[in-house]
Amino acid sequence: MSRPFERILGTLVYALRDGQILMLYRHKEPNLGLWVAPGGKTEPHESPFECALRELREETGLEAQTLVFRGLVTEVSPREHWQWLLHIFVAPDPLGDAVGDEREGRLRWWPIETVPGLPIPQADAIFFPAIIDLSQPFYAARMQYDDELKLIEVVRHTVRT
C-alpha cells in the first residue's frame, strides 16, 4: 500500500510600495529563472502568518506593518514532492529597504501592471490579478498539475469572508 503524499505548507508575500511590487528572480528550483513573490515553507513551530513575516524579512530585509490574507491555493500533482498548500499575502507599505542576500535570487521592484508580462509561474499568472487587487474577493483554488508539472486544471472555490 502506498503512503499518502505529504502536503507542504508555504507562503507567498507580495510587498507593495508606491504602485510597485517586489519580485524575486529565482536562482534555484523550484521556479528557477522565474519571477516570484518572496516566500517559503512554513516551519513546524509557526503559523502561515508568522512564516510570511519571517520569509519577507529573511529574503528581502523588509518588515511588514500589515499582512492582508488574499489567497489559499492548493497545488497537487502525481509527484510526491509537489503537494503545496500556499497561503498568499499582500504586505502594503512594508518598512525598510529591500536588500536580498542572493541565495534565493535577486530582488527588483516592478510596476504592478508589468508583472503579468514577466516570466512567472503558470499558477501565479492565474491568481496574481485577483490577489493584488484588494477590491477583489478572497482567492481560493485547487490547481492540478501533470507529472511534468504543467498546469492542467484550475478549480476555483467561492469563499465568503
Side-chain angles (χ1 to χ4, degrees), residues 39-82:
K41 295 176 185 171
T42 304
E43 299 289 335
H45 66 277
E46 65 187 359
S47 70
F49 184 88
E50 292 165 330
C51 175
L53 292 172
R54 176 183 55 77
E55 289 287 352
L56 184 66
R57 184 175 45 258
E58 287 177 0
E59 291 185 3
T60 72
L62 298 174
E63 295 287 338
Q65 302 178 79
T66 304
L67 282 178
V68 182
F69 187 29
R70 294 291 301 139
L72 186 64
V73 172
T74 305
E75 293 184 326
V76 296
S77 81
R79 291 189 181 189
E80 180 178 354
H81 299 293
W82 198 266

Side-chain angles (χ1 to χ4, degrees), residues 13 21-27 31 33-39 59-60 100-110 118-121:
V13 185
I21 189 163
L22 186 63
M23 300 291 285
L24 177 79
Y25 184 79
R26 291 283 297 181
H27 289 163
N31 299 316
L34 299 177
W35 290 95
V36 298
E59 291 185 3
T60 72
D101 64 9
E102 298 287 322
R103 285 180 301 153
E104 299 290 330
R106 75 174 184 273
L107 297 170
R108 180 171 170 191
W109 290 97
W110 291 92
L118 296 174
I120 60 177

